[in-house]
């Protein structure tokens, strides 16, 4: 989690201090961090089940696998708790209000006295922490650490926030809606495993992403016209 905060903060540094476009900064660090992770893997193997004499403890494997409540593992309930905390942060804190203002109109936000750079930097650090938490849950579920296990999930993450109604133009978006979007994608993915051949699944996700992006654009344009 500590490493996640540091790596997320580095992303924020690239955006705030070096004025690198957020998407480009994310792609740069995606490759950089993945490369570092692969270097940490012994013997060039793409997964770690143990490090020397240190084996993965049983509780770690149970975290993402064993049902603890309503047939769901602890990792799911931790995600629910983190989501609730972020909802409160978004709706009840100055950071949430400043984030919306910065995303909607950074120039106006800066002129009104908001330290927009600090806001963006803090949000990137928070994203890094949540990404690390997701990585812990995935490693627990798979019972190994694999730097390549998240390949291809970038588009899924984009699709989740688009379905949740987050505007790529900024200033519009809710944590709860993104959480619901994630549940929808999970349901769709599980359904496709049984109904759609594997080679069609990527096509379905791509089509859903196109539809969500088009819908997001139309909503944003209508809001601006109104």
């Amino acid at each position: 989690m500590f490493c996640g905060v540091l790596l997320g903060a580095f992303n924020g540094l690239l955006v705030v201090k070096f004025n690198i476009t957020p998407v480009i900064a994310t792609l740069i660090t995606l490759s950089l961090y993945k490369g570092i992770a692969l270097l940490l893997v012994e013997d060039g193997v793409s997964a770690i089940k143990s490090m020397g004499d240190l084996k993965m403890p049983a509780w770690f494997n149970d975290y993402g696998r064993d049902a603890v409540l309503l047939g769901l593992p602890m990792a799911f309930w931790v995600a629910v708790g983190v989501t609730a905390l972020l909802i409160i942060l978004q709706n009840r804190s100055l950071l949430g209000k400043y984030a919306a203002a910065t995303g909607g109109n950074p120039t106006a936000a800066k002129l009104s006295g908001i330290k927009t750079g600090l806001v963006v930097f803090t949000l990137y650090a928070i994203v890094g922490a949540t990404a690390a938490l997701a990585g812990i849950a995935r490693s627990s579920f798979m019972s190994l650490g694999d730097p390549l296990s998240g390949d291809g999930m970038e588009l899924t993450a984009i699709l989740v926030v688009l379905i949740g109604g987050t505007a790529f133009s900024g200033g519009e978006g809710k944590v709860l809606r993104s959480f619901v979007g994630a549940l929808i994608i999970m349901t769709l993915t599980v359904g496709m495993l049984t109904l759609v051949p594997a080679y069609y699944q990527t096509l379905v996700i791509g089509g859903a992403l196109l539809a969500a992006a088009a819908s997001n654009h139309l909503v944003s344009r209508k809001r601006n016209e109104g």
Side-chain angles (χ1 to χ4, degrees), residues 64-225:
R65 286 175 168 271
D66 284 9
V68 295
L69 182 62
L70 300 180
L72 296 168
M74 179 61 70
F76 175 83
W77 296 112
V78 169
V80 171
V82 171
T83 300
L85 180 62
L86 291 175
I87 290 173
I88 294 172
L89 190 66
Q90 182 180 36
N91 296 325
R92 300 293 183 180
S93 72
L94 285 177
L95 177 61
K97 300 182 189 309
Y98 289 170
T102 300
N105 192 326
T107 302
K110 192 170 185 178
L111 290 175
S112 67
I114 297 175
K115 296 181 179 179
T116 56
L118 180 60
V119 170
V120 172
F121 180 81
T122 302
L123 293 177
Y124 271 100
I126 293 174
V127 169
T130 55
L133 190 62
I136 292 170
R138 186 167 180 84
S139 294
S140 174
F141 179 76
M142 298 175 65
S143 295
L144 53 81
D146 187 352
L148 302 179
S149 67
D151 281 4
M153 295 185 70
E154 300 86 3
L155 290 180
T156 303
I158 295 173
L159 183 57
V160 164
V161 295
L162 283 175
I163 290 179
T166 299
F168 272 15
S169 56
E172 180 66 27
K174 293 291 184 181
V175 173
L176 180 58
R177 293 176 186 173
S178 294
F179 183 76
V180 173
L183 293 179
I184 291 174
I185 293 301
M186 287 171 58
T187 304
L188 178 63
T189 301
V190 172
M192 285 195 301
L193 289 176
T194 56
L195 299 176
V196 181
Y199 44 88
Y200 282 125
Q201 293 178 17
T202 303
L203 178 62
V204 171
I205 293 177
L209 180 60
L210 176 61
S215 176
N216 186 285
H217 173 73
L218 291 174
V219 170
S220 297
R221 188 174 67 177
K222 185 175 181 180
R223 186 185 299 112
N224 293 332
E225 291 175 351

